Amino acid sequence: MTGRIGSLLPRRAMQQLLDLLYPPRCAGCQRSGHVLCPSCLAQVPLLTSICQRCSAPLAPGGICSSCQSAPLKLSGMRAVSAYQEPLRSYIHALKYDGNTRLAQPLGTLLIQAYRTLGIRAGAIVPVPLHSERFRQRGYNHAALLARVCAAQVGLPLFENMLIRHRATLSQVGLKPWERQQNVQGAFSCSPAFANGQLHGRTILLIDDVSTTSFTLEACAAPLFAAGAAYVYGLVLARPLF
């Protein structure tokens, strides 16, 4: 019966109908009525005193020693918060537990951080999954977040600008040098945007977590090669070392 109704209604209307029949429960407090209630969302502490290039904890307005000695191969990177509770559980639920509706409130957090960057991006691009990983999971969590961001700020979204042409291991548990080798050369720009098609443009990359920035840097490399003037990274969380 649900399948027949779903074939007659647009996806958004179908979701609204399901929410009426089966109200969502907050991923934090489990109360009915919200995917993530305002109270639980407010408990995510925003990073404030951070490095202006990589979002590492630092005195306001400064550049951390890591960025001074080995600058990011990005124009800049901003994280919403530290990779700790409760945000860590929300990211896990979105990424691994299939709670895709969490993309809406978490994407709103990303936009709040984007506005602190003080930039005007010309396009939003999610970090892509390899086709094999996409088939296993059924969706790209970064793309879901990017859709929310693009809709809220009115920027064009290009989900196919980047291609992950080589399957990589999960970065979790790898040493820093292993992380770098794991993603090096794993991404390419799709033919439609290669060969200088991005000349002078500012691109905003979206992902969930950045530990070493190596994945974002690997994504930025082909975008710069295609002519992008600036490539920024925007993520929900980064570990506090």
Side-chain angles (χ1 to χ4, degrees), residues 17 71 74 91 95 133 136-137 148 151 153-154 161 163 168 193 199 205-207 215 218 225 237:
L17 176 60
L74 289 163
I91 293 173
K95 190 172 182 178
R133 185 69 57 82
Q136 292 172 351
R137 190 172 296 167
V148 174
V153 295
M161 183 180 289
I163 300 169
T168 57
F193 296 97
H199 180 72
L205 289 169
I206 300 291
D207 205 1
T215 298

Side-chain angles (χ1 to χ4, degrees), residues 99-178:
N99 192 348
T100 57
R101 287 187 293 181
L102 276 170
Q104 185 65 45
L106 296 181
T108 299
L109 288 179
L110 283 171
I111 289 304
Q112 292 176 15
Y114 166 73
R115 290 180 173 134
T116 69
L117 271 171
I119 65 168
R120 296 184 65 180
I124 291 180
V125 177
V127 172
L129 287 179
H130 189 266
S131 56
E132 181 179 328
R133 185 69 57 82
F134 184 88
R135 284 194 296 270
Q136 292 172 351
R137 190 172 296 167
Y139 60 93
N140 178 4
H141 59 286
L144 298 181
L145 293 168
R147 290 172 195 170
V148 174
C149 293
Q152 290 198 17
V153 295
L155 286 173
L157 171 67
F158 295 97
E159 296 188 33
N160 298 317
M161 183 180 289
L162 280 175
I163 300 169
R164 196 172 197 140
H165 58 79
R166 177 168 61 81
T168 57
L169 299 173
S170 170
Q171 295 282 69
V172 178
L174 297 182
K175 297 176 181 178
W177 65 269
E178 292 175 324

Side-chain angles (χ1 to χ4, degrees), residues 10-28:
R11 182 177 298 180
R12 184 181 295 272
M14 183 61 183
Q15 187 62 66
Q16 292 173 345
L17 176 60
L18 289 174
D19 286 347
L20 288 173
L21 296 174
Y22 309 100
R25 290 188 175 275
C26 174

